Amino acid sequence: MKNYLYLTVFIFLLLSACKGSTGNEELTDLELIQGTWVVQIAVIDGNSQPITNPGLGQMQLTLTESNYTYLFPEVGATGLPTGNTDSIQGIWSFNDDHSMIYLDRSAVGEDDFEWEIIQLSIGILKTRYTERAADGSDGTSTYEFTYKLAS
């Protein structure tokens, strides 16, 4: 009888110890967003752009715990991609509720990127931002990018 009691206590302790880790713990936003992201879909002012559009396939965002590198197509004097890439590096951060990310561009003398996070999940990052129209008018352009985590 005593052996059954010990066996019952042992099994209870064993099951209790195993219950603590399921291997399916939720990742934090910081864990989800870290990595190298490659543009899969671009929507500019509501118009979907094919990923074969010159330069879009070159867009890549790498986020570490606090730093970023953003590769994007170099634009020539004609306003069209030259086929080369340019990059910006700096510090990035979330806002308080993790609905926005800020990319510090002070190193290149430009305003920070302020991107709304539309979706952040395992392997998918979708962002939106608005900036002044490239043609110098008073209008704005809205950009939505869907990134896939590079393998």
Side-chain angles (χ1 to χ4, degrees), residues 76-98:
T78 62
L80 297 173
T82 64
N84 298 322
T85 56
D86 205 347
S87 68
I88 299 174
Q89 296 179 334
I91 297 171
W92 75 274
S93 61
F94 283 116
N95 66 342
D96 289 341
D97 67 0
H98 293 194

PDB file of all heavy atoms in Angstrom, residues 76-98:
ATOM      1  N   GLY A  76      17.262  57.208 -59.457  1.00  0.00           N
ATOM      2  CA  GLY A  76      18.110  58.123 -60.220  1.00  0.00           C
ATOM      3  C   GLY A  76      17.452  59.470 -60.431  1.00  0.00           C
ATOM      4  O   GLY A  76      16.346  59.750 -59.945  1.00  0.00           O
ATOM      5  N   ALA A  77      18.107  60.319 -61.200  1.00  0.00           N
ATOM      6  CA  ALA A  77      17.629  61.677 -61.475  1.00  0.00           C
ATOM      7  C   ALA A  77      16.287  61.665 -62.203  1.00  0.00           C
ATOM      8  O   ALA A  77      15.508  62.615 -62.095  1.00  0.00           O
ATOM      9  CB  ALA A  77      18.657  62.438 -62.299  1.00  0.00           C
ATOM     10  N   THR A  78      15.992  60.585 -62.914  1.00  0.00           N
ATOM     11  CA  THR A  78      14.727  60.490 -63.639  1.00  0.00           C
ATOM     12  C   THR A  78      13.570  60.101 -62.729  1.00  0.00           C
ATOM     13  O   THR A  78      12.423  60.095 -63.145  1.00  0.00           O
ATOM     14  CB  THR A  78      14.828  59.433 -64.748  1.00  0.00           C
ATOM     15  OG1 THR A  78      15.080  58.153 -64.137  1.00  0.00           O
ATOM     16  CG2 THR A  78      15.912  59.769 -65.744  1.00  0.00           C
ATOM     17  N   GLY A  79      13.889  59.748 -61.466  1.00  0.00           N
ATOM     18  CA  GLY A  79      12.840  59.302 -60.552  1.00  0.00           C
ATOM     19  C   GLY A  79      12.579  57.809 -60.644  1.00  0.00           C
ATOM     20  O   GLY A  79      11.719  57.277 -59.946  1.00  0.00           O
ATOM     21  N   LEU A  80      13.311  57.110 -61.488  1.00  0.00           N
ATOM     22  CA  LEU A  80      13.146  55.667 -61.652  1.00  0.00           C
ATOM     23  C   LEU A  80      14.290  54.930 -60.968  1.00  0.00           C
ATOM     24  O   LEU A  80      15.405  55.447 -60.860  1.00  0.00           O
ATOM     25  CB  LEU A  80      13.109  55.299 -63.142  1.00  0.00           C
ATOM     26  CG  LEU A  80      11.951  55.890 -63.940  1.00  0.00           C
ATOM     27  CD1 LEU A  80      12.124  55.590 -65.423  1.00  0.00           C
ATOM     28  CD2 LEU A  80      10.621  55.352 -63.428  1.00  0.00           C
ATOM     29  N   PRO A  81      14.035  53.698 -60.507  1.00  0.00           N
ATOM     30  CA  PRO A  81      15.107  52.914 -59.882  1.00  0.00           C
ATOM     31  C   PRO A  81      16.275  52.704 -60.852  1.00  0.00           C
ATOM     32  O   PRO A  81      16.074  52.491 -62.042  1.00  0.00           O
ATOM     33  CB  PRO A  81      14.434  51.590 -59.545  1.00  0.00           C
ATOM     34  CG  PRO A  81      12.976  51.893 -59.489  1.00  0.00           C
ATOM     35  CD  PRO A  81      12.758  52.998 -60.490  1.00  0.00           C
ATOM     36  N   THR A  82      17.487  52.786 -60.317  1.00  0.00           N
ATOM     37  CA  THR A  82      18.685  52.619 -61.132  1.00  0.00           C
ATOM     38  C   THR A  82      19.118  51.166 -61.241  1.00  0.00           C
ATOM     39  O   THR A  82      19.996  50.842 -62.030  1.00  0.00           O
ATOM     40  CB  THR A  82      19.864  53.414 -60.531  1.00  0.00           C
ATOM     41  OG1 THR A  82      20.163  52.860 -59.238  1.00  0.00           O
ATOM     42  CG2 THR A  82      19.545  54.894 -60.427  1.00  0.00           C
ATOM     43  N   GLY A  83      18.545  50.301 -60.425  1.00  0.00           N
ATOM     44  CA  GLY A  83      18.981  48.907 -60.382  1.00  0.00           C
ATOM     45  C   GLY A  83      19.929  48.641 -59.227  1.00  0.00           C
ATOM     46  O   GLY A  83      20.231  47.502 -58.908  1.00  0.00           O
ATOM     47  N   ASN A  84      20.399  49.707 -58.589  1.00  0.00           N
ATOM     48  CA  ASN A  84      21.258  49.573 -57.410  1.00  0.00           C
ATOM     49  C   ASN A  84      20.409  49.713 -56.150  1.00  0.00           C
ATOM     50  O   ASN A  84      19.278  50.190 -56.204  1.00  0.00           O
ATOM     51  CB  ASN A  84      22.348  50.650 -57.412  1.00  0.00           C
ATOM     52  CG  ASN A  84      23.267  50.534 -58.607  1.00  0.00           C
ATOM     53  OD1 ASN A  84      23.599  49.437 -59.031  1.00  0.00           O
ATOM     54  ND2 ASN A  84      23.642  51.671 -59.168  1.00  0.00           N
ATOM     55  N   THR A  85      20.969  49.304 -55.025  1.00  0.00           N
ATOM     56  CA  THR A  85      20.266  49.490 -53.764  1.00  0.00           C
ATOM     57  C   THR A  85      21.007  50.500 -52.903  1.00  0.00           C
ATOM     58  O   THR A  85      22.207  50.704 -53.045  1.00  0.00           O
ATOM     59  CB  THR A  85      20.125  48.166 -52.975  1.00  0.00           C
ATOM     60  OG1 THR A  85      21.418  47.610 -52.775  1.00  0.00           O
ATOM     61  CG2 THR A  85      19.242  47.184 -53.691  1.00  0.00           C
ATOM     62  N   ASP A  86      20.260  51.127 -52.032  1.00  0.00           N
ATOM     63  CA  ASP A  86      20.795  52.059 -51.056  1.00  0.00           C
ATOM     64  C   ASP A  86      20.374  51.521 -49.694  1.00  0.00           C
ATOM     65  O   ASP A  86      19.533  50.626 -49.608  1.00  0.00           O
ATOM     66  CB  ASP A  86      20.224  53.458 -51.302  1.00  0.00           C
ATOM     67  CG  ASP A  86      21.138  54.552 -50.779  1.00  0.00           C
ATOM     68  OD1 ASP A  86      22.080  54.240 -50.019  1.00  0.00           O
ATOM     69  OD2 ASP A  86      20.909  55.720 -51.121  1.00  0.00           O
ATOM     70  N   SER A  87      20.916  52.055 -48.637  1.00  0.00           N
ATOM     71  CA  SER A  87      20.523  51.562 -47.318  1.00  0.00           C
ATOM     72  C   SER A  87      20.561  52.676 -46.291  1.00  0.00           C
ATOM     73  O   SER A  87      21.250  53.676 -46.456  1.00  0.00           O
ATOM     74  CB  SER A  87      21.426  50.410 -46.865  1.00  0.00           C
ATOM     75  OG  SER A  87      22.732  50.872 -46.610  1.00  0.00           O
ATOM     76  N   ILE A  88      19.795  52.470 -45.246  1.00  0.00           N
ATOM     77  CA  ILE A  88      19.783  53.340 -44.080  1.00  0.00           C
ATOM     78  C   ILE A  88      19.933  52.422 -42.876  1.00  0.00           C
ATOM     79  O   ILE A  88      19.337  51.340 -42.836  1.00  0.00           O
ATOM     80  CB  ILE A  88      18.447  54.110 -43.948  1.00  0.00           C
ATOM     81  CG1 ILE A  88      18.199  54.996 -45.154  1.00  0.00           C
ATOM     82  CG2 ILE A  88      18.431  54.940 -42.675  1.00  0.00           C
ATOM     83  CD1 ILE A  88      16.832  55.660 -45.142  1.00  0.00           C
ATOM     84  N   GLN A  89      20.716  52.848 -41.910  1.00  0.00           N
ATOM     85  CA  GLN A  89      20.859  52.093 -40.668  1.00  0.00           C
ATOM     86  C   GLN A  89      20.593  53.019 -39.508  1.00  0.00           C
ATOM     87  O   GLN A  89      20.835  54.211 -39.594  1.00  0.00           O
ATOM     88  CB  GLN A  89      22.269  51.509 -40.551  1.00  0.00           C
ATOM     89  CG  GLN A  89      22.587  50.499 -41.623  1.00  0.00           C
ATOM     90  CD  GLN A  89      24.001  49.960 -41.496  1.00  0.00           C
ATOM     91  OE1 GLN A  89      24.877  50.611 -40.963  1.00  0.00           O
ATOM     92  NE2 GLN A  89      24.202  48.767 -42.008  1.00  0.00           N
ATOM     93  N   GLY A  90      20.079  52.458 -38.442  1.00  0.00           N
ATOM     94  CA  GLY A  90      19.819  53.272 -37.271  1.00  0.00           C
ATOM     95  C   GLY A  90      19.157  52.478 -36.170  1.00  0.00           C
ATOM     96  O   GLY A  90      19.206  51.252 -36.145  1.00  0.00           O
ATOM     97  N   ILE A  91      18.514  53.221 -35.300  1.00  0.00           N
ATOM     98  CA  ILE A  91      17.816  52.640 -34.151  1.00  0.00           C
ATOM     99  C   ILE A  91      16.328  52.658 -34.450  1.00  0.00           C
ATOM    100  O   ILE A  91      15.818  53.587 -35.061  1.00  0.00           O
ATOM    101  CB  ILE A  91      18.118  53.454 -32.875  1.00  0.00           C
ATOM    102  CG1 ILE A  91      19.617  53.372 -32.560  1.00  0.00           C
ATOM    103  CG2 ILE A  91      17.293  52.973 -31.702  1.00  0.00           C
ATOM    104  CD1 ILE A  91      20.066  54.311 -31.464  1.00  0.00           C
ATOM    105  N   TRP A  92      15.624  51.622 -34.029  1.00  0.00           N
ATOM    106  CA  TRP A  92      14.178  51.568 -34.207  1.00  0.00           C
ATOM    107  C   TRP A  92      13.541  51.316 -32.844  1.00  0.00           C
ATOM    108  O   TRP A  92      14.207  50.884 -31.902  1.00  0.00           O
ATOM    109  CB  TRP A  92      13.768  50.479 -35.212  1.00  0.00           C
ATOM    110  CG  TRP A  92      13.862  49.096 -34.656  1.00  0.00           C
ATOM    111  CD1 TRP A  92      14.956  48.282 -34.625  1.00  0.00           C
ATOM    112  CD2 TRP A  92      12.816  48.356 -34.015  1.00  0.00           C
ATOM    113  NE1 TRP A  92      14.670  47.100 -34.012  1.00  0.00           N
ATOM    114  CE2 TRP A  92      13.360  47.120 -33.631  1.00  0.00           C
ATOM    115  CE3 TRP A  92      11.489  48.620 -33.727  1.00  0.00           C
ATOM    116  CZ2 TRP A  92      12.607  46.143 -32.968  1.00  0.00           C
ATOM    117  CZ3 TRP A  92      10.741  47.655 -33.077  1.00  0.00           C
ATOM    118  CH2 TRP A  92      11.298  46.431 -32.715  1.00  0.00           C
ATOM    119  N   SER A  93      12.239  51.584 -32.758  1.00  0.00           N
ATOM    120  CA  SER A  93      11.508  51.312 -31.507  1.00  0.00           C
ATOM    121  C   SER A  93      10.028  51.154 -31.804  1.00  0.00           C
ATOM    122  O   SER A  93       9.538  51.589 -32.841  1.00  0.00           O
ATOM    123  CB  SER A  93      11.717  52.451 -30.500  1.00  0.00           C
ATOM    124  OG  SER A  93      11.218  53.664 -31.032  1.00  0.00           O
ATOM    125  N   PHE A  94       9.347  50.520 -30.871  1.00  0.00           N
ATOM    126  CA  PHE A  94       7.883  50.454 -30.880  1.00  0.00           C
ATOM    127  C   PHE A  94       7.351  51.696 -30.180  1.00  0.00           C
ATOM    128  O   PHE A  94       8.039  52.288 -29.346  1.00  0.00           O
ATOM    129  CB  PHE A  94       7.374  49.263 -30.055  1.00  0.00           C
ATOM    130  CG  PHE A  94       7.469  47.922 -30.703  1.00  0.00           C
ATOM    131  CD1 PHE A  94       8.281  46.931 -30.187  1.00  0.00           C
ATOM    132  CD2 PHE A  94       6.700  47.602 -31.819  1.00  0.00           C
ATOM    133  CE1 PHE A  94       8.354  45.682 -30.749  1.00  0.00           C
ATOM    134  CE2 PHE A  94       6.754  46.350 -32.396  1.00  0.00           C
ATOM    135  CZ  PHE A  94       7.583  45.376 -31.863  1.00  0.00           C
ATOM    136  N   ASN A  95       6.076  52.044 -30.443  1.00  0.00           N
ATOM    137  CA  ASN A  95       5.409  53.008 -29.580  1.00  0.00           C
ATOM    138  C   ASN A  95       4.911  52.228 -28.351  1.00  0.00           C
ATOM    139  O   ASN A  95       5.149  51.023 -28.230  1.00  0.00           O
ATOM    140  CB  ASN A  95       4.276  53.753 -30.303  1.00  0.00           C
ATOM    141  CG  ASN A  95       3.117  52.853 -30.688  1.00  0.00           C
ATOM    142  OD1 ASN A  95       3.241  51.625 -30.743  1.00  0.00           O
ATOM    143  ND2 ASN A  95       1.986  53.459 -30.987  1.00  0.00           N
ATOM    144  N   ASP A  96       4.223  52.906 -27.437  1.00  0.00           N
ATOM    145  CA  ASP A  96       3.832  52.268 -26.174  1.00  0.00           C
ATOM    146  C   ASP A  96       2.958  51.030 -26.337  1.00  0.00           C
ATOM    147  O   ASP A  96       3.122  50.056 -25.620  1.00  0.00           O
ATOM    148  CB  ASP A  96       3.118  53.271 -25.254  1.00  0.00           C
ATOM    149  CG  ASP A  96       4.084  54.312 -24.704  1.00  0.00           C
ATOM    150  OD1 ASP A  96       5.305  54.071 -24.727  1.00  0.00           O
ATOM    151  OD2 ASP A  96       3.597  55.374 -24.276  1.00  0.00           O
ATOM    152  N   ASP A  97       2.011  51.062 -27.292  1.00  0.00           N
ATOM    153  CA  ASP A  97       1.110  49.903 -27.431  1.00  0.00           C
ATOM    154  C   ASP A  97       1.511  48.969 -28.582  1.00  0.00           C
ATOM    155  O   ASP A  97       0.761  48.085 -28.966  1.00  0.00           O
ATOM    156  CB  ASP A  97      -0.349  50.353 -27.568  1.00  0.00           C
ATOM    157  CG  ASP A  97      -0.626  51.102 -28.863  1.00  0.00           C
ATOM    158  OD1 ASP A  97       0.293  51.290 -29.671  1.00  0.00           O
ATOM    159  OD2 ASP A  97      -1.787  51.512 -29.057  1.00  0.00           O
ATOM    160  N   HIS A  98       2.697  49.174 -29.123  1.00  0.00           N
ATOM    161  CA  HIS A  98       3.273  48.331 -30.189  1.00  0.00           C
ATOM    162  C   HIS A  98       2.436  48.340 -31.466  1.00  0.00           C
ATOM    163  O   HIS A  98       2.511  47.409 -32.258  1.00  0.00           O
ATOM    164  CB  HIS A  98       3.486  46.898 -29.705  1.00  0.00           C
ATOM    165  CG  HIS A  98       4.525  46.787 -28.644  1.00  0.00           C
ATOM    166  ND1 HIS A  98       5.067  45.599 -28.258  1.00  0.00           N
ATOM    167  CD2 HIS A  98       5.131  47.731 -27.868  1.00  0.00           C
ATOM    168  CE1 HIS A  98       5.951  45.804 -27.301  1.00  0.00           C
ATOM    169  NE2 HIS A  98       5.992  47.092 -27.048  1.00  0.00           N
TER     170      HIS A  98
END
